[in-house]
Amino acid sequence: MKNLRIQYKTMTKALVAVSALLAMSCSDDYLDVAPEGQATTGSGYFQGENVDQAIVASYAHLQDYSQHSFSYSGIFSIASDDADKGSAPGDTGTDKDKLDNFTHEATDVSVAGLWGANYRGVATANTGIDIVNEPANNLSESTIAEYQAEFKFFRAYHYFTLVRVFGGVPIITEETDPNDQEALLVRDSREDVYSFIVEDLTEASENLPETAAQVGRVTQGTAKSLLAKVQMYQGNWQEVLELTNEVIASGQYALHPNYEELWRIQNENTVESIFEVQGSASENLGIDNMAVHHGVRGQWGWGFDVPSQSLVDAYEAADDQIRMDATIIFRGEEMYDNYLYEDDPNLTAVVSEDAPNPYYSEKMYFGPENASALDKNLIILRYAEVLLMNAEANNELGNSAAALESLNMVRSRVELPAINTTSQSELRDIIWTERRLEFGMEFDRYFDVIRQGRGQEVFGPLGFQANKNEVFPIPQDQISLSGGLLEQNPGY
């Protein structure tokens, strides 16, 4: 299952080269600033001339600590009602306690981490597009189109993260003049950023291959699924319906029959998987501390980003035992792989009754034998989301029968009774609840609630302030170094 990592004709050497590049000083990174005070410099995070190495750099960047680890967990999960900071009371996680109670600020490391990581991802993609178009590479038109599509998928993915977290941000492309400070530092509108994302993903969906040459590579189905989600965030329901119908009709994806097994390492890249970040212990290129910071504190992890009582109550209210058991680790629980360690007195996969928190994330569980948990994948998109987007789009367009068909496919997998209501408002609430239960602890809840317009209703008791906390603050160091060209979000 791990034959991506990513395997190309010169992959071992390429991975070594990329790993070295990723470890280098960031003085030339996009929006990582040199001491002289220039807020945006250089032609990209990846500096090279080989197309295959540039592709590897885009995939490898997904494993970055700031991209998909602690900062990501803080903003996409801990800030929501599905999760709490966890750990021990005195361990703040630098700023995770502030994200948990909506006292976060522009000087906090999580916002700086996500801003920098995603602009490095954008820069890497832009550099790749530049390389692909170099005449010296002598590539055919179809090969150029396919490579560009892959890079543009990644650029769109990073901008989708940026626009959800920060709102409007500077749009930087391979054609942006690095000396044009206004182009580099003045924020484009939220609407313009979304239009740019749609343009990139539309091109990607037209030019990527239908099937992946290696496990984990993005395809037309990956681009269409992400594009459907982008359109959902804008309320463009006809586009969501058409895209999800196309993904469903392709026959390339299906629900994995056992929900509880989806996050077990032997079941990575199943038929349900549309986009996963690939981890690899053998290449020492796992997602940097992603699994370990979720692990049970004092046993096999740091114990951050733990399921909330609110999420537990939501499962219990829905009598959703299968998904609750797959999502939440309880004190005293014997894990499914404990048999591996029964003869080793130094290792046990039984959660202590004295664990600091009552709940931990099972979807990020790896096991006690490898503290770094490098082999653990991170699922970004899966087929269940296509079905629930399809259900929501059908309901918003007045097609209740079609909405129920897609919704009940997801419910049937976890042995829940079919929904029968045809009331649009009732069905909307049911689909929103279904999304919470299906994607619990999958880094979706916060911005899902925001796009539904329910931030104050859902997060208000946690400290959420309307007209402020729909987005997070632009990192203060970026504003200062831009000389004020970058404008702060209201309320920060």
Side-chain angles (χ1 to χ4, degrees), residues 61-353:
H61 180 70
L62 299 177
Q63 302 162 331
D64 185 80
Y65 183 74
S66 292
Q67 182 67 53
H68 282 130
S69 191
F70 211 19
S71 295
Y72 180 73
S73 291
I75 288 175
F76 278 77
S77 187
I78 293 172
S80 79
D81 60 336
D82 271 8
D84 295 322
K85 172 187 72 72
S87 185
D91 188 348
T92 66
T94 308
D95 61 356
K96 305 307 177 289
D97 57 333
K98 295 159 75 174
L99 290 165
D100 203 14
N101 59 26
F102 290 94
T103 59
H104 48 272
E105 304 168 277
T107 54
D108 290 336
V109 297
S110 291
V111 292
L114 275 185
W115 178 278
N118 282 282
Y119 269 109
R120 289 193 295 275
V122 167
T124 300
N126 284 338
T127 300
I129 294 169
D130 268 338
I131 292 170
V132 168
N133 285 296
E134 285 292 331
N137 285 313
N138 196 30
L139 301 174
S140 68
E141 288 187 11
S142 61
T143 301
I144 289 172
E146 189 171 315
Y147 272 128
Q148 282 196 151
E150 199 159 10
F151 288 121
K152 288 188 176 182
F153 171 87
F154 282 110
R155 185 167 69 181
Y157 176 75
H158 292 299
Y159 271 116
F160 187 40
T161 300
L162 287 165
V163 76
R164 284 181 292 170
V165 175
F166 300 108
V169 294
I171 298 174
I172 302 172
T173 75
E174 73 281 4
E175 297 177 349
T176 301
D177 182 350
N179 297 310
D180 185 346
Q181 291 301 291
E182 290 217 1
L184 293 168
L185 298 173
V186 173
R187 299 175 66 180
D188 290 277
S189 70
R190 176 183 179 276
E191 293 72 22
D192 285 346
V193 176
Y194 269 111
S195 294
F196 182 73
I197 295 168
V198 168
E199 182 180 343
D200 267 0
L201 287 176
T202 299
E203 182 176 334
S205 68
E206 293 169 350
N207 293 294
L208 283 168
E210 291 185 5
T211 59
Q214 293 89 22
V215 173
R217 292 283 292 277
V218 297
T219 64
Q220 287 184 14
T222 317
K224 287 180 180 179
S225 299
L226 183 59
L227 180 54
K229 190 163 186 172
V230 168
Q231 296 287 22
M232 178 177 72
Y233 268 70
Q234 299 173 88
N236 295 331
W237 296 112
Q238 186 61 44
E239 289 82 354
V240 177
L241 181 61
E242 291 172 2
L243 287 161
T244 54
N245 278 342
E246 289 176 17
V247 175
I248 292 168
S250 74
Q252 292 186 314
Y253 308 102
L255 294 175
H256 183 70
N258 189 317
Y259 182 88
E260 291 185 89
E261 293 180 352
L262 268 172
W263 292 271
R264 299 181 186 179
I265 197 163
Q266 65 269 27
N267 292 312
E268 291 173 341
N269 302 304
T270 68
V271 68
E272 185 164 345
S273 172
I274 295 177
F275 184 35
E276 292 189 25
V277 179
Q278 307 290 314
S280 175
S282 62
E283 297 287 354
N284 199 34
L285 287 170
I287 304 166
D288 192 351
N289 282 313
M290 181 56 152
V292 71
H293 80 246
H294 284 89
V296 177
R297 188 174 180 89
Q299 289 188 265
W300 54 79
W302 306 348
F304 283 94
D305 190 16
V306 298
S308 66
Q309 187 63 51
S310 173
L311 181 60
V312 174
D313 292 345
Y315 284 118
E316 291 180 343
D319 196 20
D320 192 346
Q321 191 68 42
I322 290 176
R323 288 190 291 204
M324 181 167 70
D325 287 346
T327 303
I328 299 170
I329 297 172
F330 295 84
R331 284 179 177 141
E333 181 173 344
E334 180 176 354
M335 303 306 296
Y336 55 82
D337 60 345
N338 189 53
Y339 70 92
L340 293 172
Y341 319 113
E342 287 177 346
D343 296 328
D344 188 339
N346 298 312
L347 294 173
T348 179
V350 179
V351 182
S352 170
E353 295 281 3

Side-chain angles (χ1 to χ4, degrees), residues 11-24 46 53 56:
M11 191 46 52
T12 300
K13 291 182 180 179
L15 281 170
V16 172
V18 170
S19 297
L21 282 165
L22 296 180
M24 289 172 64
F46 169 76
Q53 288 186 1
V56 173

Side-chain angles (χ1 to χ4, degrees), residues 18-35:
V18 170
S19 297
L21 282 165
L22 296 180
M24 289 172 64
S25 167
C26 296
S27 61
D28 289 326
D29 292 354
Y30 264 55
L31 305 194
D32 272 356
V33 185

